[in-house]
Amino acid sequence: MGKIIVTGASGAFGHSAAQLLLEKCAADDLVFLTRTPGKLKHFSEAGAHVRAADFDDPASLPAAMEGGERMLLISTARVGTRVGQHRNAVEAAVAAGVNHIVYTSLIAADAPDNPAIVKLDHRATEEIIEASGAAWTHLRDSQYSEAIATAMVIPALMSGHKPDNCADGKVAFVSRDDCVASAVGVLTQDGHANTAYTLTGPELISIPEALAMASEIAGKPIEVEHVDDEAMFAYFDSLGVPRHASDIVPDGPIPWSSDDMVTFGQSIREGFFDLATDHVEKLTGKPPRSLREVMLRHCESWPK
């Protein structure tokens, strides 16, 4: 049997997937790709193959992909310009003999009228994979619970105030750990070819309800201010967030753009996240964690 490849194995998702795969598979059957192999010395010492790979440098990819049979393609961080990176990875993998590509996508990526601009990258990548000749599995993640429990809750607790354009749109927030476990399930089981799974948590909750939960756990008030999209842009402008992906400074302090965040909120408001599935349990054998569980795991890092 060929090897399992994990791309972006230095990142948070890839590193967690690599650790879980080492618990389930022979180390010699695992290939972990990264632009910074020195960061993954502990994996090579455990017997896994750590290989240098840069999706912006197609010449680096044939050797990186050699011997692979299944690949977890983790979407890169460069919103707006990552489709070319993903295409390079898919083409090199298929040329090297990889016959199943598992991709970390987004809930409702295939909904034509979903306004979230981030879905454009994801759907374009899904289509590249579907046309590649390899079998595919799309893992369409809902919003990460960890993003709520840290990036959203911490500033809201610090200021006591959170402008929000999601209105009462519902989301079944999903733990990134459950998404990692689902990906590993697909990579190590048969029967998932040419299937899209929507990965969600167990319950549908609005952003105001999520912040009320955080407020209750922390014992500190958070006032949610319902605003329209223009006011949301103005709020991000006040924080110095670039408006468009093309304005992001490489390796700068803010790696995301406000048009990404505002259209994401619009997508929630318009109901594109309003879905809870049993796919995490189907792929992992365990029920997904609730948002409250994830918050309780992170609340020690919240401002006191």
Side-chain angles (χ1 to χ4, degrees):
M1 177 178 156
K3 300 183 190 308
I4 294 173
I5 297 172
V6 176
T7 73
S10 303
F13 194 109
H15 195 272
S16 295
Q19 287 180 304
L20 196 51
L21 282 163
L22 274 168
E23 295 171 17
K24 293 177 175 285
C25 306
D28 187 53
D29 291 335
L30 301 174
V31 176
F32 302 143
L33 305 188
T34 175
R35 287 181 299 178
T36 51
K39 289 184 179 175
L40 299 184
K41 197 166 166 233
H42 52 297
F43 287 148
S44 52
E45 287 171 351
H49 302 266
V50 174
R51 298 176 183 168
D54 184 343
F55 292 170
D56 291 318
D57 177 16
S60 74
L61 300 179
M65 304 289 185
E66 188 181 344
E69 179 181 308
R70 299 181 179 191
M71 179 171 80
L72 175 60
L73 176 59
I74 298 169
S75 56
T76 68
R78 231 168 52 193
V79 175
T81 55
R82 57 185 164 181
V83 176
Q85 293 180 315
H86 294 165
R87 185 187 298 278
N88 290 342
V90 170
E91 289 176 352
V94 172
V98 170
N99 59 31
H100 190 166
I101 297 173
V102 181
Y103 176 61
T104 59
S105 188
L106 174 76
I107 190 169
D110 59 335
D113 48 351
N114 180 354
I117 59 169
V118 68
K119 85 101 195 243
L120 299 173
D121 288 355
H122 287 303
R123 185 55 195 151
T125 301
E126 289 183 355
E127 289 173 346
I128 289 165
I129 296 168
E130 288 166 17
S132 72
W136 52 268
T137 307
H138 305 325
L139 300 177
R140 293 179 177 150
D141 301 347
S142 187
Q143 188 170 23
Y144 287 157
S145 302
E146 288 80 1
I148 302 301
T150 57
M152 185 178 288
V153 165
I154 289 171
L157 285 171
M158 288 172 74
S159 69
H161 174 253
K162 172 71 173 78
D164 182 70
N165 68 325
C166 301
D168 292 317
K170 300 282 189 179
V171 184
F173 300 102
V174 66
S175 170
R176 187 176 64 204
D177 292 343
D178 288 329
C179 294
V180 168
S182 298
V184 168
V186 172
L187 290 165
T188 56
Q189 304 161 7
D190 292 323
H192 303 299
N194 305 335
T195 305
Y197 294 107
T198 299
L199 304 182
T200 78
E203 59 200 335
L204 288 158
I205 303 172
S206 69
I207 295 284
E209 288 168 341
L211 290 169
M213 183 188 297
S215 172
E216 175 236 317
I217 291 169
K220 292 181 74 160
I222 300 173
E223 179 203 353
V224 178
E225 179 190 356
H226 293 283
V227 299
D228 62 15
D229 295 341
E230 277 313 305
M232 205 70 206
F233 272 117
Y235 168 70
F236 286 125
D237 289 347
S238 76
L239 299 178
V241 177
R243 279 245 172 164
H244 307 291
S246 55
D247 301 327
I248 295 171
V249 177
D251 301 316
I254 301 174
W256 42 274
S257 58
S258 57
D259 58 359
D260 180 10
M261 302 302 289
V262 173
T263 60
F264 200 89
Q266 182 188 351
S267 179
I268 291 173
R269 187 176 72 233
E270 294 180 5
F272 290 94
F273 282 74
D274 192 351
L275 178 65
T277 74
D278 63 354
H279 293 168
V280 165
E281 187 160 10
K282 179 177 181 181
L283 296 173
T284 68
K286 296 177 182 173
R289 294 166 179 83
S290 67
L291 178 61
R292 180 176 287 274
E293 283 177 74
V294 175
M295 283 189 178
L296 290 172
R297 214 166 61 210
H298 286 276
C299 65
E300 286 302 310
S301 65
W302 292 356
K304 297 293 183 275

